[in-house]
Amino acid sequence: QVQLVESGGGLVQPGGSLRLSCAASGSIFSPYVMGWYRQAPGAQRELVATMTSGRITNYADSVKGRFTISRDNAKNTVYLQMNSLKPDDTAVYYCNALVGRIGFWGQGTQVTVSS
């Protein structure tokens, strides 16, 4: 059973920064894709950023130039560096890992951007 352990969420002022981490455990092989999704109250869960094991990245237009995804394949860990945070970034952020054709989700971590 693959489990994802997340950390790094919290409260930050507009313009500030946070770094999220997510480590996958319980899998022999490196996940094909690891990434981050977010869900604001009353909204659908949406893609934030993903990275394949070959380091191909995909970003939502709303975060391009502000967020950076990185990955340590040896540790099966993915990071999300979030800079220039805006109140609209407030959401629960979920880590995702694709192992074969099966996707796994973390429990979610709250990010709140407010002054």
Side-chain angles (χ1 to χ4, degrees), residues 33-71:
V33 184
M34 297 188 73
W36 296 92
Y37 295 71
R38 67 186 182 186
Q39 187 168 19
Q44 291 185 321
R45 189 173 299 186
E46 64 178 355
L47 180 146
V48 177
T50 61
M51 178 177 283
T52 69
S53 59
R55 294 183 173 85
I56 299 172
T57 60
N58 184 35
Y59 292 94
D61 288 341
S62 60
V63 307
K64 287 181 179 178
R66 299 189 297 120
F67 292 8
T68 302
I69 189 169
S70 60
R71 178 172 173 172

Side-chain angles (χ1 to χ4, degrees), residues 3-90:
Q3 293 187 342
L4 304 179
V5 180
E6 302 170 326
S7 63
L11 174 65
V12 66
Q13 294 184 355
S17 298
L18 284 174
R19 181 178 174 87
L20 306 182
S21 300
C22 174
S25 63
S27 177
I28 297 176
F29 301 103
S30 178
Y32 297 151
V33 184
M34 297 188 73
W36 296 92
Y37 295 71
R38 67 186 182 186
Q39 187 168 19
Q44 291 185 321
R45 189 173 299 186
E46 64 178 355
L47 180 146
V48 177
T50 61
M51 178 177 283
T52 69
S53 59
R55 294 183 173 85
I56 299 172
T57 60
N58 184 35
Y59 292 94
D61 288 341
S62 60
V63 307
K64 287 181 179 178
R66 299 189 297 120
F67 292 8
T68 302
I69 189 169
S70 60
R71 178 172 173 172
D72 186 336
N73 289 336
K75 297 181 179 179
N76 287 334
T77 300
V78 65
Y79 308 91
L80 185 68
Q81 179 66 47
M82 304 185 293
N83 298 327
S84 302
L85 283 162
K86 306 174 181 179
D88 286 348
D89 295 319
T90 296

